[in-house]
Amino acid sequence: MKREILLTYSKESLVDLVLAQQAQIDRLLAEVTRLSARVRELEAKLNVPPKTPDNSSLPPSKGQKPDLPKERKKRRHSHAGVARALAENPDRIIDARLTACPHCAHAFGAADQPEVHAYDHIDLPPIKPIITRINRYHGDCPCCGLHVGAPHPEGFPPGSPFGAELRALIIHLHITQAISFERLVIMMDEVFGVTISEGAIANILARAEAPLVAAAEPIADAVRASPVIGSDETSARVGGSNWWQWVLLGSTAICHVIADTRAASVVADFLNGARPEVWVADRYAGQNRHGTVRQICLAHLLRDAKYAIEDGDDGFAPGFRWLLLRAVAIGKRRDELKDTTLANHHRDLEKRLDRLLSGPMPERPAARRLFRAMRRDRADLFRFVTRRDVPYTNNACERALRPSVIFRKVTGGFRAEWGAKVYAAAASIIATGRLHGRSALAAIKAALAGEPVMQSA
């Protein structure tokens, strides 16, 4: 503003102008301060290593696989080939014998052919459905005059035209192989010659809810009764919303639960008052305080220690990672070691941990967080050393959840809550059946027939 214009202002006007400009300057200074703090925050993040599946709990799908080096392939040394083993009980045997020499036409007899080269030819028969027509006759009783009909044959009830074998196969293909309804319709038509609609498939799954849930109940009871329970969770999609799928694993059974929350209340509701001796899980708060004591997954801690090392810590994190690797090596050899040897190893690990945690607080943020957490949870690190039935990771839980992650990515989740309930029950039945030597299809058939999935001891 020019001087000539300011000289025309009154004293009060000049004061108001100065105050307004001062207020604007204060707002600009506050904004500059905020932006400066944000710049410092972003600059600090530039020095933080990125989270990867190798140094954090990110799933492998979030990582980027490096290109393999393009090296010249080395020439392989020849070795004796390995042939497929012959079937013990072939369905039929064809004897191919010579009647005459192909060179000179000399007649051949059975005694002239002592050597046999046997091989199997494996193929599938033509796949076609077996359709059974049931004619139920009705008539009027000559005695009482009532209109009566013949009962349906056993195993051929009226209603749905699809039999037990076909229903079990459809459930198996959808749950285990993650085949969507649309692709399942095409597959049933082109491979098995069965015409079926997506609505019929949905009805088959809906009718299977009651027997599958009933078969999953004793599985849940077996998990609750287990002295050692491992647990993990992953996301799920139900009705367009984010839900959570939990897996709870015992020594003889595996149970899946899909709920609309990741809170610890899901586990508390499942346990229904039961309290295992040892709870094996990662450090997520919802997995804490469900057992008498806890065993922390060492695989998760190894990734946390690696991240702290990449963040620049050269004191606590390297030593802690080495100690965890030593503990894992002992855990892998537990079956070969005596109880007294394991007790000595446990005391040694605890002494080494004491020395690490008695050192100075790390300066780097990642190492500082890990240091504080280990001071708090140090008692939950090495319980597995002297207790052979406790694993040192919850890798079994992660493996149990992997098919569900694939199912979610292929199908996109569940449209309704009942679909999630059916899937959780079927996943429990399939996983537990495999623990007892049953295939997925055999476990589903047993559950639909009302037979126990778990083999009695």
Side-chain angles (χ1 to χ4, degrees):
M1 186 174 291
K2 294 183 178 181
R3 176 182 178 86
E4 293 79 7
I5 298 175
L6 291 175
L7 290 173
T8 61
Y9 282 19
S10 64
K11 183 178 180 180
E12 292 294 331
S13 299
L14 288 174
V15 170
D16 293 340
L17 178 61
V18 170
L19 292 176
Q21 290 178 340
Q22 184 61 47
Q24 186 175 5
I25 291 171
D26 292 340
R27 288 194 299 270
L28 292 174
L29 287 175
E31 183 67 14
V32 169
T33 303
R34 186 187 69 81
L35 292 176
S36 299
R38 179 61 175 163
V39 168
R40 288 194 297 271
E41 179 184 348
L42 294 175
E43 287 178 344
K45 286 185 177 181
L46 289 175
N47 299 322
V48 174
K51 293 278 189 177
T52 68
D54 295 329
N55 62 18
S56 68
S57 297
L58 284 177
S61 60
K62 297 294 185 181
Q64 186 173 1
K65 296 181 180 178
D67 295 334
L68 295 177
K70 295 181 179 180
E71 298 178 355
R72 187 176 179 181
K73 293 185 178 179
K74 296 180 181 179
R75 185 177 178 181
R76 291 186 176 182
H77 298 288
S78 60
H79 56 83
V82 179
R84 182 187 180 92
L86 296 176
E88 295 183 1
N89 300 304
D91 297 295
R92 65 171 179 165
I93 298 176
I94 298 177
D95 292 326
R97 297 181 183 274
L98 281 169
T99 58
C101 176
H103 302 289
C104 65
H106 178 74
F108 260 68
D112 300 322
Q113 307 172 57
E115 299 177 5
V116 178
H117 171 222
Y119 61 93
D120 287 345
H121 178 79
I122 303 173
D123 204 347
L124 290 173
I127 301 175
K128 55 181 296 186
I130 300 173
I131 301 175
T132 304
R133 177 70 52 79
I134 293 94
N135 294 319
R136 294 178 61 197
Y137 288 89
H138 294 71
D140 296 329
C141 176
C143 177
C144 64
L146 295 177
H147 188 76
V148 293
H152 64 78
E154 185 177 355
F156 298 91
S160 174
F162 305 111
E165 294 286 335
L166 184 57
R167 295 197 303 272
L169 177 62
I170 287 175
I171 296 172
H172 166 64
L173 292 175
H174 178 62
I175 300 293
T176 309
Q177 305 302 323
I179 301 178
S180 65
F181 286 8
E182 181 181 1
R183 292 171 54 223
L184 196 50
V185 167
I186 298 172
M187 181 179 184
M188 296 305 297
D189 180 28
E190 296 181 352
V191 178
F192 299 99
V194 175
T195 302
I196 190 171
S197 65
E198 294 185 32
I201 294 174
N203 290 334
I204 288 174
L205 289 167
R207 294 190 186 102
E209 178 180 354
L212 291 180
V213 170
E217 289 177 357
I219 293 175
D221 292 337
V223 173
R224 294 187 192 100
S226 179
V228 180
I229 297 179
S231 180
D232 202 0
E233 75 287 330
T234 187
S235 60
R237 291 287 291 177
V238 180
S241 301
N242 290 326
W243 284 38
W244 293 91
Q245 179 171 344
W246 297 71
V247 63
L248 300 110
L249 184 147
S251 58
T252 60
I254 301 173
C255 188
H256 291 259
V257 177
I258 299 179
D260 60 352
T261 178
R262 198 186 179 195
S265 58
V266 176
V267 179
D269 292 342
F270 171 83
L271 291 175
N272 195 25
R275 191 166 180 82
E277 297 174 11
V278 184
W279 191 266
V280 184
D282 54 28
R283 292 191 292 139
Y284 169 56
Q287 296 280 10
N288 197 8
R289 299 176 182 174
H290 298 299
T292 304
V293 295
R294 179 177 63 160
Q295 170 62 55
I296 295 178
C297 173
L298 296 194
H300 284 77
L301 290 179
L302 280 169
R303 293 195 287 266
D304 293 338
K306 183 178 180 182
Y307 182 79
I309 294 172
E310 293 177 358
D311 189 38
D313 180 69
D314 57 0
F316 168 73
F320 183 61
R321 186 172 183 272
W322 180 89
L323 184 63
L324 293 178
L325 290 174
R326 177 178 174 84
V328 170
I330 295 170
K332 292 179 178 179
R333 297 172 49 227
R334 279 186 304 183
D335 294 340
E336 309 168 5
L337 303 177
K338 298 179 180 179
D339 291 344
T340 53
T341 304
L342 290 176
N344 291 334
H345 280 308
H346 185 266
R347 284 192 294 270
D348 177 67
L349 291 172
E350 290 290 342
K351 289 179 180 178
R352 294 175 184 270
L353 182 61
D354 285 338
R355 287 197 292 268
L356 279 173
L357 296 179
S358 61
M361 178 74 69
E363 296 181 1
R364 298 297 301 171
R368 192 183 306 118
R369 289 192 298 269
L370 183 62
F371 185 84
R372 288 171 176 169
M374 292 305 97
R375 277 189 168 179
R376 182 189 65 234
D377 302 327
R378 58 153 301 148
D380 300 334
L381 294 182
F382 304 130
R383 298 187 187 279
F384 70 92
V385 176
T386 54
R387 180 154 182 171
R388 299 175 187 269
D389 59 342
V390 175
Y392 48 84
T393 72
N394 68 340
N395 183 255
C397 298
E398 294 183 348
R399 293 199 307 268
L401 282 175
R402 193 166 295 130
S404 300
V405 174
I406 296 172
F407 181 90
R408 183 189 72 228
K409 292 185 176 181
V410 172
T411 65
F414 312 98
R415 296 181 181 178
E417 185 175 345
W418 70 264
K421 191 174 182 181
V422 170
Y423 181 87
S428 303
I429 291 164
I430 292 167
T432 302
R434 283 178 173 152
L435 283 181
H436 293 265
R438 289 178 180 261
S439 67
L441 185 57
I444 292 172
K445 287 181 181 179
L448 294 178
E451 300 172 1
V453 175
M454 295 183 294
Q455 302 290 340
S456 57

